[in-house]
């Protein structure tokens, strides 16, 4: 429905009806092609040789094409489909078309490269590719969804980027509340399906295709205004939405037949939980902690040493609840010991001290081996043979059948880790929206003004820092049992395997500082990309760096923007904004109070 | 100079009493041996040319700077030079260069101002007992009340950085008032405002005074100051030159001279020179090059 928006010259000068029809036709063509054979040999993973039903990357292309088609039909104003695009329909069509072309093009490229030449493509692939190109080209002939009031003549790139912008949707029609709740449940069901699909991707090509199509499709749904509708609903039924999210997460292990992908999921949960804890420190209180993983290590080592393993220097076996409390307490003590002297200072001291602490921790546990120092941690060999948990006879190391589903060992730990994550989410959201949370943000915004408003900066920062350390410590106690071995090299500043301090920070920044879902998504991406694309290993950090640079350039607030950051970086529809007025004041702290 | 005792009524209690406040930055003495007191119900103005040390004096009062010498007491108790303790005691301030929490909402800014008057710590936030909910509700109510007082209740959800300039200055005042102060320090509250906004601010300050809050205000707008204040002190090059009723200060040719830029050396009377020398004699071991 473009009636309420201004029509601006599209990127390509095609009459709108023609463009719309061609978009639909192209999408239909691509869609049809996914039922044909794309290559002649099943050497290419996913078996794209079958005519009759799609497989592997064809499914992803099919989803892209189908979404494009649906959005285009919604653009025609077809009844029953209009709810898809409450914002604008043309920019989502363009994005979905780009997504379809992306997966299609990637598949064609991958087949040609891996099998050695375009001769390996069957006609079906060519049909799909041509269809996808037609779709994108025609969609560029559709009018803009949002009129850009810019007097200067835009360049081609600007025109293209503008064509992807869409207005925020108006207020939705009231639905009965059971319907709204059903929508939330359905949305989280879809979310679970998408996440599970990603974790279960069996070969790198499929994962790349998955990233391409989900990236474009999610953006398209954002532009269509569907996500805004959904987030309005989740705000309205907050507790239901939170419950639905956790139920969806808890269902995951029941969808798995083997432990292979559950292990990935457990590790994602550990990484994400720790990233969320770090988000309290970095995102809320604005304290740059470069050695956060050490607190995870403190918790893990503590749990390992009291777990009753023969490798422990202490011959004790604590019940799990006691070892969680011990791990949390020891991490808390370390947090206070590191924080107390440094948090009195302003500026970058904390970053340097925490960086140092992270390294000292790793080296120290590497040296407490009975040779260089007292024998506590077995040095580089770490603490192996950490026994599996046992709750009232429920052994976490064994498979159990629940509700007719076989739950493997990692599924048990997955559910336990999910509980730990719920705890951290609860702490984050409750602390964040309270007096202490406001004090953290105030300190982050302007420490001088905050202290002048009566906030004891040191105290409040120490609470944030110690709380972050404690939460990481709790995650560490679970991690020790999941891994059954802890070694110093798990807790480095930067390394190929998350969680490490650099990746934790990256997950927070990539996902969105100060939000709950941001670090979770950031952590999931940062864990899955290296795990799924192992062939990239040499270029992984390079790509990671590039991705961060691009992100900072185009989306400085991270993938998920919190309300503040959204207003902060993209204040398009605010009137009379004095942009400069506060710009200089927050940074100039040298002249206190001036 | 004994102006303090001669120009103000003795009846009211003293809210602020700063005596012998001196602030040196290396060789530069930004504030030199300044005495100033504010009594309950008073609006006191602090004027002086640029660089006179007015803001530095404020920073000494509020604990952002630790004064090299001198002490500051509030309602009879000596204040420690820690900003949060000063605010806790009952002195709130605004800043010359607006220092709002730019990326917090208008309401949140005021809520932060309530920090010292609420107790809920981390545990209470995590456990969310009835006490927590009651305290949050009370803070919200008080903050909205203050926003209504300054007329920003409709913009409670806006980001502070997106407010027009004049509203930002007002919001700073509301945020300061949220700590239920007994004394409010305003550093150039009308800087950058048009005459009409200045008028509104003037009314606002009168209303604050009527709430029983003493006000100490720095301003360059003389008409504003002389309209508003019961008493005005003039700082020049870190020293208090005169203090008295607006009419006395207005008529003082040394003030006029200081603003017009007549060299300071010629201006002060003999008593001040003596006072300065006396202060210097027993306060410093080395004679700093008095450059300015
Ligand atoms: N932190 C500091 N370090 C060194 N010098 C300082 C510092 N703060 C203030 N000064 C100096 O102290 C003197 C007084 O400055 P102050 O800001 O108090 O003046 P002011 O009376 O507020 O002037 P204005 O009317 O321009 O605001 C100036 O010379 C200034 O440069
Ligand atoms: Mg000043």
């Amino acid at each position: 429905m473009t009636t309420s928006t201004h029509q601006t010259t599209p990127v390509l000068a095609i009459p709108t009806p023609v463009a719309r029809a061609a978009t639909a036709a192209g999408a239909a063509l691509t869609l049809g092609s996914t039922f044909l054979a794309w290559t002649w040999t099943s050497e290419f993973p996913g078996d794209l040789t079958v005519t009759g039903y799609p497989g592997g990357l064809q499914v992803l292309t099919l989803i892209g094409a189908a979404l494009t088609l649906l959005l285009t039909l919604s653009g025609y104003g077809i009844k029953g489909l209009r709810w898809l695009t409450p914002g604008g329909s043309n920019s989502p069509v363009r994005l979905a078309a780009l997504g379809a072309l992306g997966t299609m093009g990637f598949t064609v490229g991958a087949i040609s490269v891996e099998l050695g030449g375009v001769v390996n493509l069957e006609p079906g692939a060519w049909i799909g590719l041509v269809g996808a190109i037609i779709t994108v080209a025609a969609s560029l002939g559709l009018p803009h969804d949002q009129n850009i009031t810019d007097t200067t003549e835009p360049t081609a790139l600007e025109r293209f980027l503008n064509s992807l912008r869409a207005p925020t949707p108006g207020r939705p029609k009231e639905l009965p509340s059971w319907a709204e709740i059903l929508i939330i449940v359905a949305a989280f069901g879809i979310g679970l399906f998408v996440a599970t699909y990603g974790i279960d991707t069996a070969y790198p090509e499929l994962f790349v295709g998955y990233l391409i199509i989900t990236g474009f499709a999610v953006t398209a749904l954002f532009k269509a205004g569907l996500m805004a509708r959904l987030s309005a609903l989740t705000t309205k039924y907050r507790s239901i939405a939170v419950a639905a999210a956790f139920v969806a997460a808890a269902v995951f292990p029941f969808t798995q037949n083997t432990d292979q992908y559950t292990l990935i999921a457990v590790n994602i949960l550990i990484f994400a939980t720790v990233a969320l804890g770090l988000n309290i420190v970095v995102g809320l209180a604005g304290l740059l902690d470069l050695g956060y993983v050490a607190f995870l290590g403190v918790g893990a080592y503590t749990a390992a040493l009291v777990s009753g393993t023969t490798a422990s220097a202490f011959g004790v076996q604590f019940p799990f609840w006691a070892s969680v409390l011990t791990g949390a307490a020891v991490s808390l003590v370390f947090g206070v010991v590191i924080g107390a002297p440094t948090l009195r200072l302003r500026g970058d001291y904390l970053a340097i001290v925490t960086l140092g602490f992270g390294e000292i921790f790793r080296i120290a546990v590497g040296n407490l081996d009975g040779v260089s120092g007292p024998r506590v941690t077995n040095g580089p060999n770490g603490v192996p043979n950490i026994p599996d948990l046992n709750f009232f006879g429920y052994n976490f190391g064994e498979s159990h059948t629940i509700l007719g589903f076989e739950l493997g060992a990692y599924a048990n730990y997955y559910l336990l880790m999910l509980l730990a994550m719920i705890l951290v989410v609860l702490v984050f959201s409750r602390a964040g929206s309270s007096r202490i949370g406001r004090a953290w943000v105030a300190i982050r915004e302007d420490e001088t003004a905050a202290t002048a408003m009566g906030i004891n900066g040191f105290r409040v920062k120490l609470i944030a820092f110690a709380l972050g350390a404690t939460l990481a410590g709790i995650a560490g106690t679970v991690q020790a049992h999941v891994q059954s071995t802890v070694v110093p090299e798990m807790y480095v500043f930067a390394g190929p395997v998350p969680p490490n301090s650099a990746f934790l920070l990256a997950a927070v920044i990539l996902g969105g500082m100060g939000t709950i879902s941001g670090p979770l998504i950031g952590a999931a991406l940062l864990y899955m990309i290296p795990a799924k694309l192992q062939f990239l290993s040499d270029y992984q950090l390079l790509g990671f760096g590039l991705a961060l640079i691009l992100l900072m350039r185009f989306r400085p607030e991270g993938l998920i923007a919190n309300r503040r950051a959204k207003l902060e970086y993209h204040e398009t529809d605010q009137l009379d904004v004095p942009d400069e007025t506060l710009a200089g004041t927050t940074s100039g702290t040298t002249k206190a109070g001036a | 100079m004994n102006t303090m005792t001669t120009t103000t009524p003795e009846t009211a209690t003293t809210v602020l009493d700063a005596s012998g406040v001196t602030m040196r930055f290396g060789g530069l003495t930004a504030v030199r041996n300044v005495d100033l007191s504010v009594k309950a119900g008073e609006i006191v103005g602090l004027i002086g040319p640029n660089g006179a040390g007015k803001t530095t004096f404020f920073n000494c009062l509020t604990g952002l700077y630790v004064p090299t010498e001198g002490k500051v007491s509030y309602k009879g108790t000596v204040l420690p030079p820690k900003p949060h303790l000063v605010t806790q005691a009952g002195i709130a301030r605004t800043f010359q260069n607006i220092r709002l929490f730019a990326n917090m909402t208008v309401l949140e800014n005021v809520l932060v101002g309530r920090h010292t008057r609420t107790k809920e710590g981390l545990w209470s936030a995590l456990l969310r007992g009835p006490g927590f909910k009651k305290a949050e509700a009370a803070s919200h109510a008080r903050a909205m009340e203050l926003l209504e007082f300054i007329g920003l209740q409709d913009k409670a959800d806006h980001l502070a950085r997106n407010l027009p300039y004049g509203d930002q200055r007002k919001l700073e005042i509301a945020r300061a008032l949220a700590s239920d102060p007994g004394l409010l320090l305003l550093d150039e509250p009308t800087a950058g405002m048009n005459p009409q906004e200045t008028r509104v601010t003037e009314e606002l300050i009168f209303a604050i005074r009527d709430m029983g809050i003493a006000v100490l205000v720095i301003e360059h707008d003389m008409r504003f100051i002389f309209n508003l204040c019961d008493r005005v002190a003039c700082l020049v090059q870190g020293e208090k030159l005169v203090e008295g009723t607006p009419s006395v200060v207005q008529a003082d040719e040394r003030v006029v001279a200081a603003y017009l830029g007549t060299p300071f050396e010629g201006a002060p009377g003999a008593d001040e020179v003596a006072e300065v020398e006396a202060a210097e004699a027993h306060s410093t071991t080395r004679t700093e090059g008095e450059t300015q």
Side-chain angles (χ1 to χ4, degrees):
Chain A
M1 287 194 304
T2 55
T3 43
S4 62
T5 57
H6 291 271
Q7 313 268 324
T8 3
T9 24
V11 179
L12 298 181
I14 309 172
T16 307
V18 177
R20 214 181 287 283
T23 310
L29 196 61
T30 311
L31 201 155
S33 84
T34 62
F35 291 88
L36 303 175
W38 282 5
T39 182
W40 59 274
T41 159
S42 54
E43 248 170 70
F44 189 81
D47 198 4
L48 309 183
T49 59
V50 190
T51 300
Y53 65 92
L57 281 161
Q58 288 179 324
V59 177
L60 297 176
T61 311
L62 174 104
I63 291 170
L67 185 67
T68 316
L69 196 56
L70 281 176
L71 290 168
T72 313
L73 294 179
S74 170
Y76 271 116
I78 290 176
K79 248 183 138 40
L81 282 179
R82 281 202 292 220
W83 61 272
L84 271 173
T85 54
S89 74
N90 296 330
S91 50
V93 166
R94 274 184 279 271
L95 281 159
L98 284 171
L101 178 62
T103 35
M104 186 70 228
F106 169 75
T107 312
V108 166
I111 291 173
S112 313
V113 170
E114 282 178 35
L115 302 182
V118 290
V119 292
N120 296 294
L121 295 167
E122 291 284 318
W126 292 114
I127 295 173
L129 190 61
V130 168
I133 292 173
I134 292 176
T135 321
V136 169
S139 72
L140 290 176
L142 294 170
H144 289 195
D145 280 332
Q146 197 172 26
N147 195 22
I148 308 302
T149 47
D150 195 352
T151 43
T152 56
E153 181 61 31
T155 62
L157 179 67
E158 277 170 350
R159 287 224 319 239
F160 172 67
L161 290 178
N162 284 343
S163 78
L164 297 182
R165 292 166 55 141
T168 42
R171 288 184 60 80
K173 203 166 60 197
E174 281 287 321
L175 287 173
S177 50
W178 60 264
E180 294 188 331
I181 292 169
L182 217 59
I183 292 173
I184 294 177
V185 171
F188 280 107
I190 295 172
L192 169 70
F193 178 78
V194 172
T196 308
Y197 192 97
I199 294 174
D200 289 354
T201 47
Y203 45 98
E205 292 84 355
L206 192 62
F207 185 71
V208 173
Y210 167 80
L211 282 185
I212 295 174
I213 194 65
T214 37
F216 279 103
V218 169
T219 319
L221 294 183
F222 262 105
K223 299 291 175 187
L226 267 192
M227 292 302 191
R229 286 280 160 88
L230 189 63
S231 77
L233 285 184
T234 52
T235 329
K236 190 169 164 191
Y237 302 98
R238 209 179 138 66
S239 39
I240 292 176
V242 172
F246 281 115
V247 168
V251 164
F252 171 79
F254 294 93
T255 65
Q256 302 297 306
N257 302 321
T258 65
D259 251 4
Q260 186 190 357
Y261 297 125
T262 317
L263 176 60
I264 291 186
V266 177
N267 283 324
I268 290 175
L269 276 193
I270 293 173
F271 184 21
T273 307
V274 182
L276 193 57
L278 179 63
N279 201 18
I280 295 180
V281 182
V282 177
L284 292 183
L287 305 169
L288 187 54
D289 187 342
L290 295 181
Y292 193 65
V293 82
F295 296 116
L296 180 73
V298 170
Y301 263 94
T302 309
L305 291 177
V306 301
S307 68
T309 165
T310 48
S312 166
F314 312 102
V316 290
Q317 178 158 16
F318 282 16
F320 182 62
W321 61 266
S323 80
V324 168
L325 288 184
T326 318
V330 175
S331 293
L332 171 70
V333 168
F334 271 93
V336 172
V337 167
I338 305 301
T342 39
L343 289 169
R344 288 182 195 280
L345 306 168
R346 290 199 187 186
D348 305 326
Y349 301 100
L350 184 71
I352 295 163
V353 171
T354 50
L355 182 64
F357 167 66
E359 290 302 285
I360 288 169
F361 170 78
R362 183 174 58 83
I363 295 166
V365 293
N367 280 328
L368 296 176
D369 57 356
V371 179
S372 320
R375 189 187 152 262
V376 182
T377 60
N378 292 334
N381 297 329
V383 186
N385 302 329
I386 300 167
D388 277 305
L389 292 174
N390 197 329
F391 284 179
F392 308 109
Y394 184 97
N395 190 326
F396 274 54
E398 293 166 4
S399 293
H400 296 266
T401 305
I402 294 176
L403 303 172
F405 290 94
E406 172 97 353
L407 281 191
Y410 288 123
N412 299 326
Y413 285 112
Y414 175 91
L415 294 173
L416 179 66
M417 200 56 223
L418 191 62
L419 284 183
M421 175 183 273
I422 291 176
L423 174 80
V424 178
V425 167
L426 208 66
V427 168
F428 185 96
S429 73
R430 291 199 159 181
S433 62
S434 72
R435 170 175 176 266
I436 190 104
R438 288 190 294 267
W440 287 335
V441 179
I443 292 271
R444 185 194 74 196
E445 289 288 303
D446 185 339
E447 186 161 354
T448 301
T451 54
M453 290 308 124
I455 293 170
N456 184 344
F458 169 67
R459 191 189 143 85
V460 166
K461 285 193 287 183
L462 188 60
I463 291 175
F465 195 74
L467 179 66
T470 310
L471 295 177
I474 292 174
T477 57
V478 181
Q479 190 204 25
H481 289 277
V482 174
Q483 310 277 359
S484 82
T485 303
V486 287
V487 290
E489 292 313 308
M490 284 159 65
Y491 309 104
V492 294
F493 170 70
V497 190
N500 52 63
S501 294
F503 269 55
L504 283 168
L505 201 59
V508 170
I509 293 168
L510 176 89
M513 283 205 272
T515 63
I516 291 178
S517 46
L520 305 187
I521 291 175
L525 282 177
L526 286 184
Y527 190 89
M528 287 217 279
I529 292 173
K532 294 284 181 187
L533 306 180
Q534 276 165 0
F535 67 93
L536 271 181
S537 57
D538 290 346
Y539 301 99
Q540 200 176 299
L541 283 175
L542 179 71
F544 173 58
L546 274 179
L548 274 188
I549 292 173
L550 288 178
L551 190 82
M552 288 303 109
R553 169 66 186 79
F554 291 107
R555 207 172 155 82
E557 70 274 38
L559 295 177
I560 308 285
N562 70 358
R563 184 176 42 96
R564 287 193 193 103
K566 214 175 334 191
L567 290 163
E568 184 179 346
Y569 292 106
H570 303 283
E571 40 204 349
T572 43
D573 39 19
Q574 303 263 0
L575 35 147
D576 56 25
V577 182
D579 230 353
E580 316 72 38
T581 45
L582 281 170
T585 56
T586 41
S587 53
T589 44
T590 39
K591 194 178 168 188
Chain B
M1 275 195 307
N2 304 319
T3 39
M4 234 172 291
T5 45
T6 54
T7 53
T8 52
E10 298 285 322
T11 46
T13 54
T14 306
V15 179
L16 175 81
D17 190 15
S19 59
V21 173
T22 300
M23 184 74 218
R24 285 196 201 90
F25 297 110
L28 171 77
T29 309
V31 176
R32 187 191 315 250
N33 199 21
V34 173
D35 298 327
L36 189 77
S37 71
V38 179
K39 293 191 164 44
E42 255 190 326
I43 300 178
V44 178
L46 191 59
I47 60 170
N50 290 118
K54 305 179 295 296
T55 300
T56 307
F57 181 60
F58 262 30
N59 288 344
C60 291
L61 295 182
T62 50
L64 285 175
Y65 290 165
V66 182
T68 322
E69 280 158 40
K71 68 179 188 1
V72 181
S73 48
Y74 175 77
K75 292 188 176 166
T77 46
V78 177
L79 291 174
K82 286 263 193 303
H84 66 275
L85 296 179
V86 171
T87 313
Q88 170 107 50
I91 300 182
R93 69 170 293 172
T94 66
F95 293 91
Q96 178 172 355
N97 301 342
I98 299 171
R99 300 189 77 140
L100 289 169
F101 306 119
N103 297 314
M104 295 175 90
T105 66
V106 168
L107 180 66
E108 283 170 332
N109 267 275
V110 183
L111 284 173
V112 170
R114 291 286 310 152
H115 190 87
T116 51
R117 300 298 169 233
T118 41
K119 292 276 159 303
E120 283 60 48
L122 182 64
W123 283 117
S124 139
L126 295 184
L127 299 177
R128 301 257 150 147
F132 176 85
K133 294 200 178 104
K134 232 166 75 191
E136 278 292 283
S139 294
H140 270 82
R142 176 79 181 117
M144 282 313 293
E145 207 175 284
L146 285 166
L147 286 181
E148 256 157 57
F149 175 65
I150 57 161
L152 284 183
Q153 68 276 24
D154 295 333
K155 297 189 177 172
D157 291 332
H158 289 220
L159 277 196
R161 72 204 305 273
N162 292 340
L163 290 184
Y165 193 73
D167 285 351
Q168 293 195 3
R169 286 229 175 264
K170 281 198 224 156
L171 178 56
E172 263 214 330
I173 295 179
R175 184 180 67 173
L177 287 176
S179 66
D180 297 338
L183 172 69
L184 182 62
L185 308 183
L186 301 173
D187 197 343
E188 306 200 9
T190 68
M193 285 189 176
N194 62 32
Q196 193 201 339
E197 287 173 318
T198 304
R199 284 282 312 147
V200 174
T201 308
E202 204 175 302
E203 293 307 316
L204 193 67
I205 296 175
F206 278 130
I208 290 169
R209 195 260 319 267
D210 294 342
M211 283 156 54
I213 298 170
V215 180
L216 177 60
V217 51
I218 295 176
E219 196 40 84
H220 284 296
D221 181 338
M222 289 305 149
R223 180 164 344 144
F224 173 82
I225 278 284
F226 292 133
N227 254 343
L228 191 71
C229 298
D230 304 314
R231 199 147 51 83
V232 177
C234 179
L235 278 191
V236 177
Q237 295 193 5
E239 291 182 71
K240 191 166 78 177
L241 199 56
V242 259
E243 183 180 338
T245 57
S247 48
V248 169
V249 174
Q250 213 165 357
D252 196 305
E253 76 257 14
R254 290 170 303 175
V255 175
V256 180
Y259 268 92
L260 294 181
T262 315
F264 180 59
E265 283 74 33
D271 52 345
E272 277 145 0
V273 175
E275 193 184 67
V276 170
E277 277 167 0
E280 223 118 80
H282 74 85
S283 62
T284 50
T285 45
R286 61 199 167 115
T287 41
E288 319 236 14
E290 305 301 334
T291 39
Q292 288 207 310

